[in-house]
Structures are given as C-alpha cells and as structure tokens.
C-alpha cells in the first residue's frame, strides 16, 4: 500500500508537469490553431534567464539570494515577453498562412532560440541548484515523498482552478473561449483578434515559466535542449486528450504521466530503458480506438 501511494504521488507530480506544459500548447492551438513547437524552448529560456553569460557562479549566488517571489516574477517576465515577441514578430505576419506554414515557423523559431542560447552559453550543461531545500523528503499521510512533488501537484491544482475561473468569469476569458469556438464569428461580434491571441501567448509563456522553475528545481541542470522532451510529451498529451480542448490537455498530461510511472514499475528491469517506447505504443493503441482523443471536442474549423 505504501509503495502504491508513493507511485501515485510520483505519477501525479510527473503528470502535473505534463499537464501544465500541455495547457500552454493547448491555449495557442485553441485560439490560433497553431501547434507551437517552440514552447519547449520557452521552458529552456526560463531556466537560462537565471544565468548571466560568462559569470555563472556569480549569477547563481546573486539570484539565489533573491526572495523567491522576486525570482519567480523575473523569470516569468522574461518568458512572457519572449512569447509575446514571438507572436508579434513571427506568427502575426503569418497569421493568414496555412497551418503547415505556421508549424514550420514554430520549428524555425525553436531552432533560433536554441542556437541563440548556444551562442551565449555554449552547449555544455550547467549545474544550478535552485531551491535545494524543496528536494528534501517529508512525511505525508504515512509516505516519505520529496517536498517538490507535493508543491508541483499543489501549484498545478491552483493554476488549473485559477485558469478555469479566468476563462469563465472574466471578459477576456469569455473572449478567448468565443475565439476558440468560432474565431471568425467572434471577430464579427467585436472580439479583438490581436488582443486575444497576444493574451493566449502571454498565458502560454506564464505556464512555460512555471514549468521551467519546477523542472529546473527537480533536475538541477540547465541544458539547451532541456525543454524538448517536455515539449514532446506535452504535445502527445494534447493529442491523446483531444486537440482543441483545455480539459483534454490536462487529462492527457495526467494520463501520460500515470502511464509512464506505471510502466516504470511494471516493466521487467531489462525493458525499463525502453519505457518511453512502450508509452508511445500504448498511446498509439489508445488513438486507434479514440482517434479524436480521450475528451470529445467539436470539430476543428480551419481559420481563414
């Protein structure tokens, strides 16, 4: 029973990271019908924003001394600004282009971000001990679990509830929901397209910053490609959950997280190195029976 509880906490913590990352992707897809493959690089930039080029040790000592609210605000500001600039410079001029063109543009943006980081920081991974006290083990309902896992689950729940409240009870949230349902009709009814899309990118950047801080605290190492695996699993989560559904993105994120941990426990030791392959095989089987995803969504109408 204790082992089951520990595995459940592990699954929920991993699923929470995937759910937050998938939400960032789902917000953009819901409004613009764009799968932003640069989202993983937003996460990477959030981690690198804590390091000043060529003065890594000094930067770590300086930033580590900052109060945690200021540090969170600083990282969030960097990633949100990057997301907004991406929308303004890259995606807004291509808004009338095809979905394939937008997807290629997102790949290109990701490569530009990665090689810019390589230019300033080199490709060598760097150790960065962010909030090491959060990795300590605590007693929780009879289980010994890392404090970071409990914080990850709690932060995810708080953000999900907040986002639901924003989308349901604020004017901008209602506009975003209207744009996701029928973008053309929403514009005819007075919804400002630029404002709604920029807001979606801003929220996506905020979620990427949160994932970046949680992931860096867990990982303790900054690398140029650190956001790519998260982006891959987050994208898979949005597909499994149901493209175009924020609820589906969350469900898919937790489904992928639970499946990953379950396979890590159930697979023979010789096969655990191939866990991700079994995860993707299971996802293919799910999609064979549920091509539209776990959460049923209305048909996606292509933007004009």
């Amino acid at each position: 029973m204790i082992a089951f509880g520990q595995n459940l906490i592990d699954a929920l913590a991993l699923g929470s990271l995937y759910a937050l990352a998938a939400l960032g992707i789902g917000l953009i897809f819901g409004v613009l019908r764009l799968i932003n493959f640069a989202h993983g690089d937003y996460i990477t930039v959030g981690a690198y924003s804590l390091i000043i080029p060529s003065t890594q040790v000094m930067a770590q000592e300086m930033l580590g001394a900052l109060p945690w609210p200021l540090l969170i605000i600083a990282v969030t500001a960097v990633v949100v600004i990057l997301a907004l600039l991406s929308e303004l410079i890259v995606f807004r001029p291509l808004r009338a282009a095809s979905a394939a063109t937008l997807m290629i543009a997102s790949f290109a943006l990701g490569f530009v971000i990665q090689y810019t980081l390589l230019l300033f920081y080199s490709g060598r991974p760097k150790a960065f001990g962010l909030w090491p006290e959060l990795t300590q083990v605590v007693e929780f309902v009879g289980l010994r679990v890392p404090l970071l896992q409990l914080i990850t689950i709690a932060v995810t729940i708080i953000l999900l509830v907040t986002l639901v409240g924003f989308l349901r009870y604020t004017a901008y949230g209602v506009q975003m929901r209207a744009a996701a349902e029928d973008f053309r009709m929403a514009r005819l009814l007075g919804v400002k397209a630029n404002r709604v899309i920029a807001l979606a990118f801003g929220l996506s950047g905020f979620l990427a910053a949160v994932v970046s801080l949680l992931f860096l605290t867990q990982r303790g190492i900054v690398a140029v490609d650190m956001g790519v695996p998260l982006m891959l699993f987050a994208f898979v989560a949005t597909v499994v959950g149901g493209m175009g559904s924020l609820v589906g993105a969350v469900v898919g994120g937790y489904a992928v997280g639970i499946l990953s941990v379950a396979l890590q426990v159930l697979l023979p030791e010789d096969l655990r190195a191939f866990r991700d392959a079994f995860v993707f095989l299971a996802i293919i089987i799910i999609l064979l029976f549920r091509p539209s995803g776990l959460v049923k969504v209305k048909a996606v109408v292509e933007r004009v």
Side-chain angles (χ1 to χ4, degrees), residues 3 11 48 57 69 76 110 163 175 188 192 221 227 247 272 288-289:
Y48 272 97
V57 175
T76 301
L163 183 60
Q175 291 178 23
L188 291 174
K192 303 296 183 183
I221 297 176
V247 174
R272 288 177 184 174
L288 287 175
F289 291 95

Side-chain angles (χ1 to χ4, degrees), residues 55-108:
T55 58
Q56 287 88 349
V57 175
M58 183 184 301
Q60 181 165 343
E61 292 176 353
M62 179 183 66
L63 292 171
L66 284 177
W68 64 266
L70 293 180
L71 191 145
I72 293 174
I73 291 172
V75 173
T76 301
V78 169
V79 182
V80 169
I81 290 172
L82 173 63
L84 292 175
L85 288 176
S86 300
E87 190 277 326
L88 180 63
I89 298 173
V90 179
F91 297 114
R92 187 173 297 185
L94 297 174
R95 192 171 296 168
S98 66
T101 301
L102 287 171
M103 184 178 65
I104 293 171
S106 73
F107 274 116

Side-chain angles (χ1 to χ4, degrees), residues 36 38-50 71-87 113 198 200-213:
N36 185 12
H39 188 77
D41 299 291
Y42 295 168
I43 296 172
T44 304
V45 168
Y48 272 97
S49 66
L50 295 169
L71 191 145
I72 293 174
I73 291 172
V75 173
T76 301
V78 169
V79 182
V80 169
I81 290 172
L82 173 63
L84 292 175
L85 288 176
S86 300
E87 190 277 326
I113 293 174
F201 270 90
L203 289 174
S204 177
F206 171 76
L207 292 173
V210 174
V211 172
S212 179
L213 289 169

Side-chain angles (χ1 to χ4, degrees), residues 61-268:
E61 292 176 353
M62 179 183 66
L63 292 171
L66 284 177
W68 64 266
L70 293 180
L71 191 145
I72 293 174
I73 291 172
V75 173
T76 301
V78 169
V79 182
V80 169
I81 290 172
L82 173 63
L84 292 175
L85 288 176
S86 300
E87 190 277 326
L88 180 63
I89 298 173
V90 179
F91 297 114
R92 187 173 297 185
L94 297 174
R95 192 171 296 168
S98 66
T101 301
L102 287 171
M103 184 178 65
I104 293 171
S106 73
F107 274 116
L109 174 62
F111 279 112
V112 169
I113 293 174
Q114 287 186 27
Y115 281 98
T116 301
L117 292 174
L118 282 172
L119 178 65
F120 287 100
Y121 295 98
S122 80
R124 182 170 58 87
K126 300 170 176 61
F128 195 99
L130 179 64
W131 300 324
E133 63 275 9
L134 298 185
T135 59
Q136 66 182 345
V137 176
V138 298
E139 294 282 347
F140 177 73
V141 294
L143 303 174
R144 291 178 57 83
V145 298
L147 178 60
L148 179 61
Q149 290 187 339
L150 301 179
I151 291 177
T152 300
I153 296 170
V155 167
T156 302
I157 293 173
I158 292 171
L159 289 179
L160 291 179
V161 172
T162 303
L163 183 60
V164 169
F166 171 79
L167 293 174
R168 286 184 177 273
Y169 303 113
T170 67
Y172 287 121
V174 172
Q175 291 178 23
M176 286 185 64
R177 289 167 55 202
E181 287 290 333
D182 191 326
F183 196 77
R184 180 185 297 176
M185 180 59 68
R187 293 187 67 180
L188 291 174
L189 294 175
V191 172
K192 303 296 183 183
N194 290 341
R195 185 180 300 171
V196 169
I197 293 173
L199 179 59
F201 270 90
L203 289 174
S204 177
F206 171 76
L207 292 173
V210 174
V211 172
S212 179
L213 289 169
L214 293 172
F215 191 46
L216 178 58
T217 305
Q218 172 187 319
R219 177 186 171 104
I221 297 176
V222 182
V224 173
D225 60 348
M226 63 181 289
V228 175
L230 276 176
M231 169 63 206
L232 175 61
F233 280 100
F235 170 66
V236 169
T238 58
V239 174
V240 171
M243 294 296 293
S245 169
L246 296 183
V247 174
V250 175
V251 171
Y254 279 106
V256 172
I258 292 171
L259 184 60
S260 298
V261 173
L263 288 173
Q264 184 68 27
V265 173
L266 298 176
L267 284 175

